[in-house]
Amino acid sequence: MQKPMFLRVLWVVSDEVSLYGLTALLDLVGSVSQYEVCLDVSAAEKRLQEHSFDVCVLPVERYNTQVGELAGRCGSLLVLTLPTGKNPEDFGQVGHRIAHWMPQQRITLGMLQKVFLGFTEGMHRQSNPAASGDRAMRILHRVTEREREVLRLLARAQSNQQIARSLGISIHGVKRHVSNLLLKFDCSNRTELALAASQLSVDLAHRPAAVVRTGATGP
């Protein structure tokens, strides 16, 4: 039986109303053991230097390179919240660093439960490299070279149009490849797909055949 895993969360909010509402929600999230909520990014940067957090959440407009690097150094998954009317493709320059995106105005208990539970499951897989490697191998056996190219660009937060332009294929073709990848990785959206590839330690720079040959080596 797997030992329960709980998250330490650092969350930056944009106003006091959000602060009080969020603390009430986080108190109810079973996979969160400890959290800190603050209004100031500089305070969050200081906390990241002093303590270890599993997840760091902040509004996309508060994101900067320094907080991204601090989160990366301490191993924190970085989550950004989006204002109404925006989507991850609008912020492609930071997309490759982000583990998940959430809407700022529609954060619910159910959403937090699902997102944070997904993180703990990913950490369980990482703590069991053999199981993670086996799953990655099974998926990679089914991923074509073109799908791999699409996944690499998708993980960098490129839109379908950008991917089509980069690979010289139609948008319809990109959508078909993304749909196939969602099925193969058992994901419901693009963000989950990019995160799943990261959690499975998928090396997007190498061909599947190379990974298969490595995995086949053994006694």
Side-chain angles (χ1 to χ4, degrees):
M1 180 179 295
Q2 287 184 333
K3 182 179 179 180
M5 185 173 290
F6 302 99
L7 302 172
R8 295 156 297 178
V9 177
L10 177 64
W11 198 308
V12 180
V13 294
S14 54
D15 55 69
E16 291 189 7
V17 173
S18 299
L19 187 152
Y20 294 119
L22 182 62
T23 56
L25 288 178
L26 289 173
D27 281 335
L28 301 175
V29 179
S31 55
V32 174
S33 61
Q34 173 187 341
Y35 66 82
E36 295 186 33
V37 183
C38 54
L39 286 163
D40 186 40
V41 173
S42 61
E45 292 173 355
K46 187 172 186 294
R47 298 302 290 161
L48 284 169
Q49 292 172 335
E50 296 173 342
H51 297 278
S52 176
F53 292 91
D54 300 301
V55 182
C56 179
V57 187
L58 68 158
V60 66
E61 63 268 20
R62 301 283 188 93
Y63 173 87
N64 60 57
T65 302
Q66 182 171 337
V67 73
E69 291 177 349
L70 285 171
R73 283 203 294 269
C74 69
S76 296
L77 293 171
L78 193 58
V79 177
L80 296 187
T81 59
L82 287 164
T84 302
K86 295 292 184 179
N87 58 69
E89 284 80 6
D90 297 327
F91 305 94
Q93 69 275 15
V94 299
H96 66 287
R97 297 175 179 266
I98 310 308
H100 197 78
W101 299 82
M102 290 191 290
Q104 291 175 10
Q105 305 302 320
R106 298 192 301 276
I107 294 175
T108 65
L109 176 59
M111 178 189 299
L112 295 182
Q113 295 275 29
K114 179 179 179 181
V115 171
F116 289 143
L117 180 60
F119 288 160
T120 61
E121 291 174 348
M123 291 174 182
H124 273 302
R125 287 194 295 270
Q126 289 178 344
S127 66
N128 186 351
S132 178
D134 288 346
R135 184 171 180 233
M137 191 64 63
R138 289 195 299 271
I139 292 175
L140 288 175
H141 273 304
R142 301 159 52 203
V143 173
T144 68
E145 180 65 18
R146 178 63 83 185
E147 289 170 350
R148 197 178 186 84
E149 293 173 341
V150 170
L151 183 58
R152 184 176 64 251
L153 297 176
L154 183 149
R156 296 175 182 172
Q158 289 198 12
S159 66
N160 286 346
Q161 186 173 9
Q162 290 171 322
I163 294 173
R165 187 162 52 246
S166 296
L167 299 180
I169 60 178
S170 68
I171 292 180
H172 176 74
V174 174
K175 290 179 178 179
R176 184 179 69 254
H177 291 310
V178 171
S179 295
N180 289 339
L181 287 166
L182 289 171
L183 288 173
K184 292 178 180 180
F185 279 82
D186 191 24
C187 294
S188 59
N189 57 56
R190 297 163 68 96
T191 301
E192 288 183 9
L193 180 59
L195 179 60
S198 173
Q199 290 174 340
L200 289 173
S201 302
V202 175
D203 183 356
L204 299 178
H206 291 79
R207 297 175 59 86
V211 179
V212 171
R213 286 198 297 271
T214 300
T217 302

